[in-house]
Amino acid sequence: MPPVAAAVIALVGLVLVFSAVWAWQLKSENAGMIDPVWVYSLGTVAVLYAVLGTGDPSTRALAALGGLIWGARLGTHLWRRNFGQPEDARYHRFREAWGDAAPRRMFWFFQLQVVISMLLSVAFLVPAYRSSEPATVWILLAVAVWIASVTGEGLADRQLRRFKNDPSNRGKVCRVGLWRYSRHPNYFFECVHWVSYILLSIGSPWIWLTLLPPVLMAWLLLKLSGIPLLEASLAKTRAGYAEYMRTTNALIPWPPRRSAGE
């Protein structure tokens, strides 16, 4: 099947899925479940492209497996974190700001997630349609980057979950493990994850398209929906977070700077 046709099928499927989640949140008044659904659906698109693609079978399989495992791991983490919990502060802030227009605006906000998903899915589409197998060195490097990034993101998520589950840490800033070196190590490894598909696409005339997903993800997390909204809330509600922001890199892990009192 031509890549455009595969992309159209993915687009229609995502629109239907996100519309269903929007309808569900009309009753629950909790938009937080869009996060795991977004990840699960994007992982499914990776498999869809591999099935419909006409490229090298081994490359298609690697892209599908990478997207599927990434989506299953991160989606399950977000599902456990959000299910049965109060609405994420980011979405609650939108709902309050939009007032009576919230249902309509939330619908289009959800459809914006479809657009973002389609742009990110280019990372899976290009390797699914490359005609030749990548050189062994690029395959090995792509697998290594994928393992390091998914493992690192999972480790950061577990460290933060353990910290939050300890009652003695209530109201404190997490500075354990990877969180000592980055305020958002999970976001860092999420960005790195998308680089693995660039390596898997080396040799394809469309490799330049795979540069978009990691750049887009970094921009979203650094400038739009990730760090800015999250830290605006944490700086006001979490004692010591402002100092944490002064001493610790936002994204790339790096030894912390000395605090103002040292």
Side-chain angles (χ1 to χ4, degrees):
M1 178 177 293
V4 173
V8 169
I9 292 174
L11 175 63
V12 172
L14 289 172
V15 168
L16 292 175
V17 168
F18 280 68
S19 297
V21 178
W22 170 80
W24 176 84
Q25 66 84 38
L26 285 178
K27 295 182 178 180
S28 66
E29 294 188 345
N30 188 332
M33 297 313 292
I34 191 63
D35 293 340
V37 170
W38 175 81
V39 179
Y40 281 141
S41 61
L42 192 51
T44 303
V45 169
V47 177
L48 175 70
Y49 286 161
V51 171
L52 300 180
T54 58
D56 171 63
S58 61
T59 309
R60 287 157 52 195
L62 282 173
L65 192 61
L68 181 64
I69 297 176
W70 162 81
R73 204 262 350 145
L74 181 56
T76 300
H77 165 72
L78 294 172
W79 185 280
R80 291 172 176 171
R81 188 191 70 181
N82 293 358
F83 184 74
Q85 299 298 316
E87 186 174 46
D88 187 290
R90 296 169 298 167
Y91 303 129
H92 187 68
R93 190 179 301 118
F94 289 154
R95 196 181 299 279
E96 288 187 332
W98 291 337
D100 293 340
R104 173 174 53 84
R105 291 196 174 187
M106 195 66 77
F107 175 81
W108 291 113
F109 176 75
F110 277 27
Q111 297 310 311
L112 176 61
Q113 311 308 306
V114 174
V115 176
I116 293 172
S117 292
M118 290 301 299
L119 293 175
L120 291 174
S121 75
V122 170
F124 309 126
L125 185 65
V126 172
Y129 280 88
R130 64 168 301 159
S131 58
S132 60
E133 183 179 4
T136 302
V137 63
W138 298 126
I139 294 177
L140 294 176
L141 191 54
V143 171
V145 170
W146 185 93
I147 291 174
S149 59
V150 173
T151 301
E153 187 173 13
L155 176 60
D157 288 337
R158 287 193 298 274
Q159 289 173 342
L160 182 60
R161 184 170 60 249
R162 285 197 299 266
F163 182 86
K164 288 183 173 180
N165 289 340
D166 186 343
S168 66
N169 292 327
R170 186 177 301 276
K172 296 181 180 179
V173 177
C174 179
R175 295 174 181 261
V176 299
L178 294 170
W179 299 84
R180 171 177 169 78
Y181 304 99
S182 169
R183 303 200 302 271
H184 304 278
N186 52 340
Y187 288 172
F188 168 75
F189 286 111
E190 175 60 26
C191 294
V192 174
H193 157 255
W194 295 98
V195 175
S196 60
Y197 305 102
I198 299 177
L199 299 169
L200 201 58
S201 301
I202 290 177
S204 166
W206 299 100
I207 184 176
W208 58 273
L209 288 174
T210 62
L211 300 176
L212 174 62
V215 172
L216 175 61
M217 181 58 68
W219 180 78
L220 290 170
L221 294 176
L222 284 169
K223 301 297 183 181
L224 191 61
S225 64
I227 294 175
L229 292 178
L230 180 59
E231 293 197 334
S233 174
L234 290 174
K236 296 178 180 178
T237 60
R238 192 69 54 85
Y241 200 83
E243 180 67 16
Y244 183 50
M245 292 174 65
R246 283 192 293 269
T247 61
T248 310
N249 276 4
L251 191 67
I252 301 175
W254 195 258
R257 297 176 290 277
R258 291 185 177 183
S259 63
E262 294 180 341

